[in-house]
Amino acid sequence: MPYLGDEHTVRELRRALSNPNVQADHLRYRNTIHRVIRLMSQGQDVSGLYSEMVKACATVDIVQKKLVYVFLCSYASLNPELSLLVINTLRKDCSDHNPMVRSLALRNMCNLRLPGLSQYVQQPLTVGLKDKAACVRRVAVLGWAKIHTLQPNTEIDVAVVNELYGLLRDPDPVVMVNCLRALEEILQEEGGVAINKPIAHHLLNRLKLCDVWGQSEVLAVLQRYRPRGEDELFDILSLLDPALLSHHAPVMAATLRLFLSLCSTLPAVCMSALERARGPLLAAAGSTSRELRYAALCHIQLLLRSEPGLMGEHYKRFFCGYAEPPYIKQNKMQVLVELVNDDNVAMVLDELRGYCTDVNTETSQTAINAIGSIGRSYTDRCLAILTGLLGLKQEHITSAVLQTLRDLVWVCPQCGDAVCSALEGWEDNLQDSQGRGALLWLLGVYGDRVTGAPYLLEDCIDGVRSEVSAEVKTELLTATLRLFLSRPAETQDMMGRLLVYCIEEEVDMCVRDQALLYYRLLHCGIEEVRQVLQGGRRSDPSLGPLIGRPPEPISQWASSFNTLEPLTLGASTVGNSDHATPKPSTLTPNTLTSNAEAMTPTPGDPHLPDCSSGALSLSVSPALTPEEFERLWLQLEKGVCVACPVPRCSPEGLQVALQLVNIQTLAFTPPNTHPWRVYLYTHTSHISTKTPHTLILPEHTHTHTALAHTHTHTHTHTHTHTHTHTHTHTHTHTHTHTA
Amino acid sequence: LVVYCVCVCVVCVCVCVCVCVCVRAFNVLLTVCHRLTALVKDYCGCLSEKSVQMNFALIYELLDEVVDFGYIQTTSTDILKNFIQTEAVSSKPFSLFDLSNVGLFGADTQQNKVAPSAAATRPIVSSQGEQGSKNEIFVDVIERMSVVIGANGVLMKADIEGEIRVKCYMPSCSEMRIGLNEEFSIGKSQLSGYGAAVRVDECSFHQAVRLDEFDTYRILKVCPSQGEQTVMQYQLCDDLPTAPPFRLFPSIERDSGGRLLMYLKLRCDLPPKSAAINVSITIPVPKGSLRLSQELSSPDQSAELQPKNKAVHWEIPRFPGGAQLSALFKLEVSGLSAASLQEVGPVSLSFELPKYTCTGLQIRFLRLSPIQPGPSQRWVRYVTHSDSYTIRI
């Protein structure tokens, strides 16, 4: 917003500009113009000097010309009539013998943004396209695009378009790229420049002559071209291949994007392209510029969605430097979580542990969240770190740890014991409402195992009047009711007080409604309450140890590669990292578990399908917790495992197939790891005896083992040692014979 | 709409150009911004609020030539040189340091052989007379190291990213040959029989570099254009040829008076001839730290507690190789508990190692061919920066 300039200064400048003595001395003249431009860039309104500046335009001094043009282009739209005077001077300059003057005049003439401009400009532009100096042709080509955007609804001149297509063969690479740009603008409504086979090959062959910016633009335009056959496709790919290794990030990214779009039907080629580009991507992720680093990290996250193993061995490149800004640190941690495997988990956790005490609270919360996500597969180590962090007694750390523990317990119920022992003797007073909500949830769910739970809740209930967050209040209601179920004697009195307060005095409707709901529920009887609140189970274990999303197909994100989109995605996940994790609200666990309860068949269910002939039937329930499974598995003889060739179907397919025959897949290693392992179990029940036995079927799959049938002795966990020979076929057929 | 808004933010050393055109490619935008800062540095000498104020006309002109209608036309200093007419105004504040190069009664001093550090921060095109006519070439070997050392002193991660940067002030330079160490090798497979081999994992070159003599003689041939350019970039991961430059021996305990005692011994494992400068050590301390009392081994060091960052900063202006320094910090911490000790660390260091490269990369020679008319000066500098140097406790 230009503020009203100093009237006096403007008047003085006008006097100086029209002073013939100044005009005669070109240095003084130039200095005065210099002052005008300085005022202009400082935001003062100097548009009053327009007519003086128009006069100053007619000069042989190029520096002065350039300065005046800067002024004229900024104020032309305010003075359309006077600007027509300039056009005459400019048109004269367009036929100057100096190519620099010609290009300068032509460029600025198109920049004037006047309504009736095109009639004056068309002739010099047409001449400019045929100029012998490349710099004039560059300007002229873009000039047509400028004219078109100035009057977007005018007819497209076919002759001009043809001329521009012809200029794609111009010897100057910048003219070529400018033609592409101009055609893209002019033909926007027709979908941009048409790329046929000769044009595409011409562009590809001349790619090397362009500079970095031109290359990335040509590559972007080439995405529209579809090669005719495989031969042509591979010719193009081999031409582009060296550019994948370019150390200029823009070129590398544009090439990779083109690769991905060209080979969308050839996943193997895409994968090898990603692997080729890994080096440059890693280099960009470690570049000196923070912005580039962030962008590269966001794109690496994108790649990891399809190819989780891509960066595995380079995990150290994602360790944070201490001076890095928080947004890069948080992004790196998110990448690290994806890269964890058996070999590096210790190092990664050690590193993440160091970030938990970061000065920046957001960074430390992200680190704690990251440890929590790793905890889904490496529970014990992570729990040790998380409970250790509670000892620091720092508000934001404790709050983040509690939220993480809540999420972790929900997914891996087997870590309940560790959480209970951490909550034992809790005495901190948390200020943060999210942390308090998490604490209350944990107290409600594990109230029977934490001795001090009623006292902790009582403190909260006593202070409920000063509580501001409605979220915490609803959490408190649910927790109190849950605790009431397990420890009625200690809780009854305070629950009464809480319900009275919430129904009588609470102003927040949600809290009041929930209190009323619970109150009426209690009237229905304790069994009903139990049904609603606990649903028999605390969480769904089948959600738990099956880690890792299935890799997405590349096509899912290929279109957003090398655009701003991954960056905004990254920003949104960094911003609310704690919201991104599944957050069990008060009610969802119950609804989920009750649904699950209704759907899973219980042992002895008459509707249970008999899947194996004879007297033996298999069933997947009761579900085995991973902890139990591990105990049973360790009881087995050392090295007992079934080895067979890798199944040709996807792990998910195998899992579904096995579930159909009532064999539960507890966990499997990520695909493409060698050896690929899967852990299975099932329960057998003889119709005759009705005593269920649990079968543990650890399976160990090799790539190069030709053994298709291995007889394995498997122990069951019951006292009667039933020996079972298990044949495991690869093609998802599983027969179980009982000896 | 196609509008390009150019906002030159000069609060610090930052030019941010938002080219809001249909260039959707994210990193094109970013790299353009970096290239523009480099161009401004080339033409104005340095990039600061003052230099932008003094050279605004030049920068207008530069932007006008670089970006047309939101499209980048060219960013090569060589090509732009023909179009840029305005001369740079460089600010040269009078400084006492400039006098240090002048010996007593004009006699040559030792320092004459060393270029002043400001020599490379002047505009490439400058008017005749004074410094401008000098034919100078600066070749910098710059390495950035990021290191993590475990609590037991084991090197857990070590990355070096290096580059050779050439800044050329010669108006017409035909060809320059840069000779690297002869035993320079790329990749893990090549093992040299003799010691002192210089190895890097990955290496990439500027497209103008000709490598026909690189395989046999390790010579880079380049025709440098005026201004600054990165001729070669290289990386080395996890396998340092020498010991990491600093080792820390901490002992941290609580004393009977409820204070936190930190006794830190820091050893510099550089060769005795080299030294680290501007060493700054950051030690995170427990949250409730109130006061710090310190015993440092020499008077030029300093240390202070920064309660906002929960850290103690220990500054050492110069740290010669082979030396060992120690510091005793006594911290008064409110509510000190056993768990508070967990909050101490990891220690991070930032420093600069002049005349030293961690990979051992050296420039054997720098030849201009054919020999330039008139005197030409060639300067080679080596420096290693700490990108991130962390020692766990």
Side-chain angles (χ1 to χ4, degrees), chain A residues 116-227:
Chain A
L117 187 69
S118 60
Q119 50 175 330
Y120 304 103
V121 178
Q122 267 175 359
Q123 189 261 333
L125 277 182
T126 321
V127 176
L129 284 182
K130 297 193 179 67
D131 201 287
K132 48 183 192 300
C135 63
V136 183
R137 290 199 303 271
R138 292 174 190 176
V139 170
V141 167
L142 276 187
W144 284 110
K146 289 180 197 169
I147 295 297
H148 181 76
T149 35
L150 208 61
Q151 290 161 319
N153 300 321
T154 46
E155 285 278 300
I156 299 166
D157 191 348
V158 186
V160 172
V161 171
N162 284 340
E163 188 119 15
L164 288 178
Y165 270 117
L167 275 174
L168 282 175
R169 310 241 164 224
D170 196 274
D172 184 71
V174 182
V175 174
M176 178 185 88
V177 180
N178 276 356
C179 276
L180 275 183
R181 292 159 170 164
L183 285 170
E184 285 280 281
E185 297 257 351
I186 295 172
L187 304 175
Q188 205 165 27
E189 278 165 26
E190 297 168 27
V193 53
I195 303 281
N196 56 19
K197 191 172 170 181
I199 293 183
H201 285 258
H202 171 71
L203 291 177
L204 279 167
N205 288 328
R206 306 218 22 213
L207 201 57
K208 283 209 183 73
L209 298 174
C210 304
D211 60 357
V212 183
W213 328 111
Q215 282 184 17
S216 39
E217 256 169 273
V218 170
L219 288 168
V221 169
L222 279 175
Q223 270 187 345
R224 256 183 268 137
Y225 179 64
R226 294 275 142 231

Side-chain angles (χ1 to χ4, degrees), chain B residues 145 147 240 243-247 267-270 351 353 358 389:
Chain B
M145 64 188 312
V147 168
L240 291 189
F246 290 101
R247 279 288 301 275
R267 195 178 72 201
C268 183
D269 287 337
L270 292 174
F351 51 83
L353 310 176
C358 276
Y389 195 96

